[in-house]
Amino acid sequence: MIHNKSSFRLLWMSQALANCGDVFYIAGIISVIFQISGSAFMMALVPFFITLSRFLGSIFAPLFIDRFSLKRIVSLSHLIKAILMAILVAYIWRFGKVYGILPAISLIAFVDGYAAPAQRSMIPLLVEKIALVKANSLFSIVENIVELGGWPASGILVALFNGEILLFISLFLFFISFIMVSFIDYAEEKKISNPPEKWIVLKEGWAALWRTPSFKTIAIIDLVDSMANVVWIAAILYVYVEEILAKNEAWWGYINSAFFAGLLLSGIGLYRIGESVKSKLHVAIIFGTIFSGIFTFCFGLSSIPWLSLILSFLTGTVAQVKLLGQQTVIQLKASASLLPKVISARESISTGVFGISSLMMGLVAEYFGVQSVFVIAALLQISVGFWTWANQQALQI
């Protein structure tokens, strides 16, 4: 059951617009950098700066969470991104230098890093615990629809116009998101008048991950997933498509689309059954983790294009089951004040480990072949899946 349907609707609609703005912004900025520099290396710096800055944003998120309401953090993040986007567009038109673009990218990613935990923590404030699975599924469905439609749309807009038009659209979407979040109404969480020292605040979420069995189990799964999920980045998939499938770059898009289609359909399925899976969340996490590894293993060893599409779809399907299970368990077990700090610690783990693993897995693919990367990722996921099975009591609601 939803406490405030209009506010909940505003939350997911604003997030959908912001996610669409993010897709257009990334596609636009990569296009602009390529037009200015023509350098593949400069384009590769974009995900590096985004990952690093988002990691730092998630690290410092607890400091913002202790001082401001979740609604204020989320709404102002959209406004700050709109302002930064306006500055970025003006800079590109006036100077057209790559080196001034990178700091703006870093600032936008930093804002995303501290705002994401706040946004996710608003869901339990607007939804009854019994409806959390459906609410999380709805957010996931919206996000995946944006991903599926946003990237093709951004490609068409770049082809018809240029990268700058996407930045303008992003600016508009972020500003509309800011307005929508400003109208969300809920009983705001009380803030401590004399907050503890900054170091204590920063480590509070990490301490909760360490001392709470359910959070610790999920954090270990996050760590392994962050290493394993590197196999789905463009750098790895491009090599796989070319060397193993012997197909052109278009197949990278097909494989990505199949993966997101799996995420989307799985999210729709979980939304429909909703409340009935609440008591089986630990099973969903175990099942999703083990089968993510199995499908990844089969995908990596497959050289049949149509089979790779099916396996990519199946991987997305079980990955969604696992992710929604993990998110709902944390929302159910964490207090309202602790939840955003736990989420920010999880975000830090995922972002930091993913960034480091991208470099490591790239080296492994170069020296031992791209299929070895998929085998390593699969074995990691299967291993942590069976470990989670042995420790499933920690995840039971």
Side-chain angles (χ1 to χ4, degrees):
M1 184 176 179
I2 297 173
H3 293 309
N4 189 325
K5 290 185 178 181
S6 60
S7 290
F8 180 73
R9 190 181 301 114
L10 283 171
L11 181 62
W12 72 255
M13 288 175 67
S14 67
Q15 196 55 38
L17 292 178
N19 287 347
C20 191
D22 286 332
V23 170
F24 284 175
Y25 148 65
I26 296 297
I29 209 67
I30 289 176
S31 172
V32 167
I33 288 176
F34 185 72
Q35 288 172 6
I36 294 172
S37 69
S39 168
F41 173 73
M42 296 304 298
M43 290 171 65
L45 285 178
V46 173
F48 172 77
F49 274 88
I50 287 175
T51 302
L52 177 62
S53 300
R54 193 179 178 98
F55 169 73
L56 292 174
S58 61
I59 287 285
F60 289 103
L63 297 179
F64 297 95
I65 290 163
D66 260 18
R67 291 193 60 186
F68 307 108
S69 69
L70 300 179
K71 171 183 168 180
R72 189 174 182 186
I73 292 171
V74 175
S75 63
L76 284 180
S77 72
H78 296 320
L79 179 60
I80 292 168
K81 287 170 70 174
I83 293 170
L84 287 171
M85 202 65 60
I87 294 171
L88 185 57
V89 171
Y91 173 84
I92 291 168
W93 277 2
R94 177 66 179 84
F95 300 103
K97 301 290 185 182
V98 171
Y99 299 105
I101 296 174
L102 296 178
I105 292 172
S106 299
L107 285 172
I108 291 169
F110 181 84
V111 171
D112 280 332
Y114 75 71
Q119 184 270 323
R120 292 176 204 152
S121 299
M122 288 179 69
I123 299 174
L125 298 176
L126 299 172
V127 176
E128 294 280 5
K129 288 186 175 182
I130 196 170
L132 272 175
V133 174
K134 292 190 73 171
N136 289 327
S137 298
L138 176 60
F139 268 77
S140 178
I141 290 167
V142 170
E143 183 177 338
N144 292 321
I145 288 174
V146 169
E147 291 281 350
L148 276 171
W151 288 107
S154 64
I156 293 170
L157 288 171
V158 168
L160 291 176
F161 303 100
N162 51 45
E164 285 91 335
I165 193 68
L166 291 180
L167 301 183
F168 260 120
I169 295 173
S170 297
L171 188 163
F172 176 75
L173 292 175
F174 291 144
F175 187 72
I176 297 299
S177 298
F178 157 71
I179 294 173
M180 294 177 76
V181 174
S182 300
F183 283 100
I184 291 176
D185 180 36
Y186 68 96
E188 292 193 3
E189 61 282 11
K190 293 181 180 179
K191 296 300 173 185
I192 303 172
S193 55
N194 294 309
E197 293 182 11
K198 291 180 180 179
W199 170 244
I200 295 174
V201 173
L202 287 173
K203 70 177 185 179
E204 194 173 353
W206 295 91
L209 286 183
W210 179 255
R211 68 172 179 258
T212 310
S214 55
F215 299 165
K216 189 175 182 178
T217 302
I218 290 173
I220 291 171
I221 298 171
D222 285 338
L223 190 149
V224 172
D225 273 347
S226 298
M227 291 189 283
N229 288 339
V230 169
V231 300
W232 302 103
I233 65 174
I236 300 293
L237 277 183
Y238 268 129
V239 177
Y240 170 83
V241 166
E242 182 179 331
E243 294 185 359
I244 308 303
L245 298 186
K247 292 289 184 179
N248 59 30
E249 291 86 349
W251 274 80
W252 173 77
Y254 302 153
I255 289 170
N256 265 324
S257 296
F259 183 85
F260 279 110
L263 290 174
L264 176 60
L265 290 181
S266 183
I268 293 171
L270 287 169
Y271 179 80
R272 292 179 67 86
I273 59 178
E275 300 167 8
S276 62
V277 300
K278 184 184 170 187
S279 61
K280 302 285 193 301
L281 291 174
H282 63 291
V283 177
I285 295 170
I286 294 166
F287 168 87
T289 304
I290 293 174
F291 277 89
S292 287
I294 292 172
F295 292 143
T296 298
F297 183 85
C298 295
F299 178 92
L301 297 184
S302 170
S303 59
I304 305 171
W306 64 264
L307 180 58
S308 296
L309 288 178
I310 293 173
L311 290 168
S312 179
F313 172 82
L314 292 173
T315 305
T317 302
V318 295
Q320 184 71 288
V321 171
K322 172 185 61 177
L323 290 171
L324 290 177
Q326 290 172 277
Q327 184 174 337
T328 307
V329 166
I330 286 180
Q331 288 172 337
L332 289 170
K333 295 210 170 196
S335 64
S337 60
L338 188 60
L339 178 59
K341 296 174 184 177
V342 171
I343 293 176
S344 69
R346 283 188 70 201
E347 182 90 7
S348 300
I349 291 172
S350 299
T351 311
V353 173
F354 186 85
I356 295 169
S357 299
S358 297
L359 298 175
M360 294 174 60
M361 290 293 199
L363 290 172
V364 171
E366 185 171 338
Y367 287 102
F368 299 100
V370 70
Q371 288 181 307
S372 63
V373 175
F374 286 94
V375 171
I376 292 170
L379 292 177
L380 284 171
Q381 287 183 310
I382 292 170
S383 298
V384 80
F386 281 108
W387 175 83
T388 306
W389 192 352
N391 295 276
Q392 63 180 282
Q393 199 167 20
L395 298 175
Q396 293 179 0
I397 302 301

